[in-house]
Amino acid sequence: MQARAIMSDMKAGNSSGEYSKQGMYSWRTKHIDMKKLFLLILLLPIIAGCEKFLNPEQIDLTYNEVFWSSQSDAEKAVMGLYSTYRGVMLNSQWYERGDVTTGFFHTGWNGGSSNKLYLPGDFDNKTGTDKSWGSLESFADWSGYYKVVAQANLAIKHIELMSDNLFDSGKKEKLLGEAHFIRGLVYFNIARIWGNVPLVTEAIESSDQVLNDDRTLVEKARSTDTEIMDFVLGEVNQAVSMLDYGVPGTSEWGIRANKGSAQALAGHVNLWMDFIQKRDGASPGDEYVDAAITALEALVTYGNYSLVNYDNPSAVADMYIGQSSEAVFELNISLDDGESYRIDYGGIVNLTSKVVPLDGDETKDRANKINFVPASKKQLIFPEYPTDKRADLFFEAWESTYETAFSDVSIESPCRDSVTYLLKYSAMTIDPARQWNEYQAYFSEANIPVFRYSGIKLLLAEAYAKKGTADGQAIAIVNEIRNRAGLLPYSGTDLIAEILQQRTSELIGEGHIFFDYVRNNYYSNVQVMTSTRVLQEGYYWPVSSNVLTSNKLIHQTPYWNGKTVW
């Protein structure tokens, strides 16, 4: 498979980067607590001037009234939102939260995702470090997401205030629709990860907004997950009303939000809202399921999407390079566009893919470091293998019986070609400015999928199945997905379980599976999510110590009290 290559805002979404003499990026991580976040907002540079899509330069303008004076200014601000959100996603925590937490992937000997993401934690030893998710401080830090929120708040406020006469016909509404979509998407991410979080919608532009009369910093408490999701529903409804459907083959297809992207988010948010409302006994009806069906049916009917042919391996590989017929929304990664990242600096490729070493030494192909699928977990992902063609399309060496992480110096060192690893992000380009002794000098070329059409169709099937009166429509979608994978029609008795199985088989490695299981209280691979933990909402992540120590109105998620390292 062709190699692919880098750019990025790498660590936890809170990094700043600059080119080195070799044409690469160097990064330093900033941990920002809620108080510091508000101060940071005051200092955020105005986003401006981009030659490349989503690659904004910064300009030194002091006053907002100077900047927000043209359609070009508004366009640059929205491009900056895409870029900042991409920066949050490039650290690959979306994959680790959504896939590694299921226990389907295990870490290699010297690298890959932390074992604590999928192994039961030692919560009795309060000074120990084996505390499952709770010992991972960076995973508990939401500041990167709030940086995107802060920029979205500014963009929405000022674009709304700009005169309509400054814009071409329909352009102002489109830019506002994109900004509402991104703000809604980010809050949806935050709420699924942490549940109850502060809701910040005000554009912070003055110290008076963050300082009390006694010059102490303003603190903000957590809103409920229901309140956050209700806000997100407002955002996606705004976006749906302001955006048009995309046109396949155009430069914006799949990588800028359109009406289909917003309807996909609306489907997800409504089904999550259905979950939390029924969890709390607040709404036993189907109003949110009905709303999800309405949004997703419109996407399927009018969105211009189609399923990629799985009989063509090249088409499948191209789907992950990006902007395929299935691209409902994804984040652009391209060296030619100046929007890539060096795989040896981290990210999804670093965690999941082997590489061809540039010095020819096969022991440097990272087989002993990347996340792999042990043989004992394979039946849970593709129970109908070898009939299911997706196993060999999405993974290398699926037939392997390899089970345990290995070291090249261990007594038992299995064949490096027997490591079952993910292929979805294995498109790379050699760094043309690489040094002679760099043997993993590749830039990624694989887009980051947020919503893919096959996943959206299965989400619609889930909504149909939950409606109860639409099982036939759900089964029709399931059979469409099964047929493409080379499988016989569905003949089981648990339709929701079959839909979740197809979402697992189809979306493995795309950051959705754990949240699918939470939404349906369905855990096919029992690891850390016990029934007691579910009742205590332990599917939400703990809050970072940076936040807890700086904002006294923020309290730890109850399940995590006494369980975290900090």
Side-chain angles (χ1 to χ4, degrees):
M1 186 174 287
Q2 181 191 8
R4 313 166 163 215
I6 183 169
M7 158 197 123
S8 12
D9 335 352
M10 195 48 77
K11 307 287 186 183
N14 299 317
S15 307
S16 67
E18 52 194 48
Y19 278 112
S20 69
K21 293 181 180 179
Q22 291 76 29
M24 299 174 290
Y25 277 78
S26 59
W27 303 96
R28 58 185 185 276
T29 303
K30 301 175 184 176
H31 297 287
I32 308 167
D33 57 47
M34 278 299 296
K35 285 184 178 179
K36 293 178 182 176
L37 167 68
F38 288 134
L39 291 180
L40 173 65
I41 294 171
L42 301 178
L43 304 175
L44 282 176
I46 304 295
I47 302 299
C50 58
E51 294 285 338
K52 302 284 189 177
F53 176 54
L54 304 188
N55 189 26
E57 299 171 358
Q58 295 178 345
I59 58 176
D60 185 17
L61 292 178
T62 305
Y63 303 105
N64 276 318
E65 58 265 30
V66 176
F67 178 73
W68 304 97
S69 59
S70 70
Q71 176 178 299
S72 176
D73 291 341
E75 180 85 23
K76 292 166 186 175
V78 172
M79 294 306 96
L81 287 180
Y82 285 103
S83 181
T84 307
Y85 181 61
R86 185 185 56 200
V88 174
M89 299 291 279
L90 281 174
N91 64 18
S92 76
Q93 285 187 2
W94 54 273
Y95 151 77
E96 296 180 274
R97 295 182 195 278
D99 295 283
V100 178
T101 50
T102 64
F104 294 149
F105 292 92
H106 286 192
T107 182
W109 186 266
N110 291 320
S113 299
S114 171
N115 288 350
K116 297 178 181 63
L117 284 164
Y118 58 84
L119 295 179
D122 173 14
F123 296 136
D124 293 327
N125 178 9
K126 296 186 182 301
T127 61
T129 59
D130 185 21
K131 293 180 179 291
S132 189
W133 302 349
S135 64
L136 302 174
E137 171 84 17
S138 66
F139 282 82
D141 189 351
W142 58 39
S143 60
Y145 292 95
Y146 276 102
K147 179 180 177 182
V148 188
V149 168
Q151 294 196 19
N153 291 345
L154 283 170
I156 290 169
K157 173 184 175 180
H158 286 284
I159 294 173
E160 285 178 342
L161 291 173
M162 294 172 71
S163 171
D164 295 350
N165 296 330
L166 296 173
F167 296 87
D168 296 336
S169 177
K171 188 67 173 182
K172 178 178 180 179
E173 190 171 55
K174 178 180 185 295
L175 292 172
L176 279 172
E178 290 180 89
H180 280 291
F181 169 80
I182 295 172
R183 186 165 70 172
L185 177 61
V186 172
Y187 265 120
F188 176 62
N189 294 158
I190 294 172
R192 286 201 306 181
I193 297 168
W194 288 281
N196 309 321
V197 297
L199 181 60
V200 182
T201 61
E202 182 182 12
I204 307 298
E205 302 174 87
S206 166
S207 61
D208 292 339
Q209 295 171 273
V210 297
L211 294 176
N212 296 309
D213 291 340
D214 61 358
R215 314 312 289 171
T216 59
L217 286 169
V218 173
E219 297 177 336
K220 192 172 183 65
R222 301 170 80 171
S223 299
T224 67
D225 49 8
T226 301
E227 290 170 333
I228 298 298
M229 284 298 167
D230 193 54
F231 171 78
V232 175
L233 283 174
E235 291 295 282
V236 297
N237 289 336
Q238 285 267 68
V240 168
S241 69
M242 292 177 165
L243 296 170
D244 295 326
Y245 290 108
V247 179
T250 59
S251 61
E252 294 186 356
W253 174 258
I255 59 175
R256 286 186 68 166
N258 59 38
K259 188 184 290 287
S261 311
Q263 288 169 334
L265 180 56
H268 270 285
V269 175
N270 275 291
L271 286 184
W272 193 268
M273 182 69 106
D274 178 69
F275 151 61
I276 59 179
Q277 289 285 298
K278 289 176 178 174
R279 177 201 67 193
D280 297 341
S283 177
D286 291 328
E287 59 177 305
Y288 293 108
V289 172
D290 289 340
I293 290 173
T294 298
L296 297 173
E297 283 183 337
L299 180 159
V300 170
T301 302
Y302 304 110
N304 300 315
Y305 305 105
S306 61
L307 296 177
V308 166
N309 180 7
Y310 280 4
D311 290 328
N312 183 352
S314 295
V316 176
D318 288 343
M319 180 170 66
Y320 291 99
I321 292 175
Q323 295 191 284
S324 73
S325 64
E326 291 207 28
V328 177
F329 184 64
E330 56 193 23
L331 300 176
N332 193 43
I333 304 294
S334 167
L335 179 61
D336 287 343
D337 292 342
E339 296 167 356
S340 183
Y341 59 92
R342 273 278 292 259
I343 68 166
D344 51 340
Y345 287 12
I348 183 67
V349 181
N350 184 276
L351 288 178
T352 63
S353 300
K354 285 174 61 176
V355 297
V356 178
L358 294 177
D359 64 355
D361 183 353
E362 66 175 14
T363 64
K364 297 175 183 176
D365 68 4
R366 306 190 68 256
N368 64 331
K369 297 181 181 180
I370 56 178
N371 291 347
F372 67 96
V373 181
S376 60
K377 304 299 180 183
K378 292 181 178 179
Q379 184 73 10
L380 297 172
I381 302 174
F382 296 110
E384 296 176 73
Y385 182 77
T387 305
D388 195 328
K389 63 183 70 172
R390 291 172 296 191
D392 292 325
L393 289 171
F394 295 164
F395 288 89
E396 183 68 26
W398 190 260
E399 76 288 348
S400 170
T401 59
Y402 175 72
E403 178 69 25
T404 308
F406 74 96
S407 165
D408 287 321
V409 298
S410 64
I411 297 175
E412 182 182 357
S413 182
C415 174
R416 303 181 72 85
D417 293 333
S418 296
V419 179
T420 300
Y421 65 92
L422 194 65
L423 289 172
K424 289 184 174 182
Y425 308 106
S426 292
M428 310 165 211
T429 297
I430 297 174
D431 183 356
R434 69 186 184 279
Q435 300 300 296
W436 68 269
N437 59 347
E438 292 185 301
Y439 51 85
Q440 293 180 11
Y442 293 95
F443 282 91
S444 174
E445 297 286 357
N447 279 7
I448 297 173
V450 178
F451 301 129
R452 188 158 64 84
Y453 187 51
S454 52
I456 294 304
K457 294 208 77 172
L458 286 167
L459 193 70
L460 177 56
E462 179 184 326
Y464 281 146
K466 288 178 175 177
K467 182 68 175 174
T469 57
D471 283 1
Q473 292 165 282
I475 291 171
I477 294 174
V478 167
N479 285 339
E480 181 182 21
I481 299 299
R482 287 179 60 86
N483 179 66
R484 180 173 67 154
L487 304 177
L488 294 174
Y490 167 70
S491 60
T493 58
D494 189 338
L495 183 54
I496 287 290
E498 171 63 18
I499 292 167
L500 292 174
Q501 180 59 65
Q502 291 307 312
R503 284 186 63 83
T504 298
S505 300
E506 186 67 32
L507 301 177
I508 184 73
E510 298 182 37
H512 290 281
I513 297 174
F514 176 77
F515 300 110
D516 290 342
Y517 293 175
V518 171
R519 187 175 65 243
N520 290 281
N521 193 25
Y522 171 92
Y523 301 97
S524 63
N525 183 27
V526 178
Q527 289 292 123
V528 297
M529 200 54 60
T530 63
S531 58
T532 300
R533 182 167 178 169
V534 170
L535 288 173
Q536 294 176 346
E537 299 180 16
Y539 40 77
Y540 288 141
W541 286 70
V543 179
S544 165
S545 62
N546 292 334
V547 174
L548 296 175
T549 58
S550 62
N551 186 342
K552 301 308 179 186
L553 294 182
I554 300 291
H555 302 290
Q556 184 58 277
T557 303
Y559 173 79
W560 292 105
N561 280 328
K563 294 184 174 72
T564 54
V565 169
W566 49 87

